[in-house]
Amino acid sequence: MLTETLRRHGPALALAALLGTSGVLHLRRPGIFRPLVPRVLGDPDPWVLGSGVAELACAAALVLPPTRPLGGWASAALLVGVFPGNVTMAVRSRPDARGWAGKPAVAWARLPLQVPLVAWAVAVARRAG
């Protein structure tokens, strides 16, 4: 019974936990995410706030089976949408960065990780639909 429940709901709930944690972090520690916003977009604060709220909304949608397909597709779209921010962070990274996220090894390593995250969200959406 527990194994079946975890098999059925575990991937969606784990993705919800990941996005929910990131969403809370966006709201509680926005300074971490400001450097990810491309300068062409202007003031980073609305973008950081908006992406945090979007992550929380996706997480909430993933938790409930009736909204899970929408949550999965929205999560995939969000993860694709924030990819330019990850590229910006990688390009701006430098060895003497104060925070760990600004270090080149971390910033560049994040880029290929976006692919399995998007695939995970798509798999959750398809499985739930």
Side-chain angles (χ1 to χ4, degrees):
M1 176 80 169
L2 177 62
T3 304
E4 175 61 26
T5 300
L6 287 176
R7 187 188 66 73
R8 185 170 178 206
H9 301 288
L13 296 177
L15 182 57
L18 179 76
L19 290 170
T21 300
S22 181
V24 168
L25 194 56
H26 274 73
L27 303 180
R28 300 276 301 158
R29 306 275 315 267
I32 296 171
F33 300 96
R34 286 183 187 117
L36 278 83
V37 179
R39 289 184 184 102
V40 70
L41 295 177
D43 181 6
D45 287 338
W47 295 101
V48 172
L49 174 66
S51 61
V53 169
E55 287 174 328
L56 291 171
C58 287
L62 289 166
V63 170
L64 301 173
T67 57
R68 195 167 287 158
L70 175 63
W73 291 117
S75 298
L78 177 65
L79 290 163
V80 169
V82 300
F83 186 72
N86 292 338
V87 171
T88 298
M89 185 66 154
V91 169
R92 291 181 187 168
S93 66
R94 51 186 214 280
D96 63 336
R98 287 178 31 180
W100 60 269
K103 305 275 185 196
V106 174
W108 286 98
R110 289 178 61 182
L111 297 181
L113 291 177
Q114 207 75 3
V115 174
L117 289 174
V118 172
W120 183 7
V122 168
V124 166
R126 287 183 174 158
R127 191 163 189 224

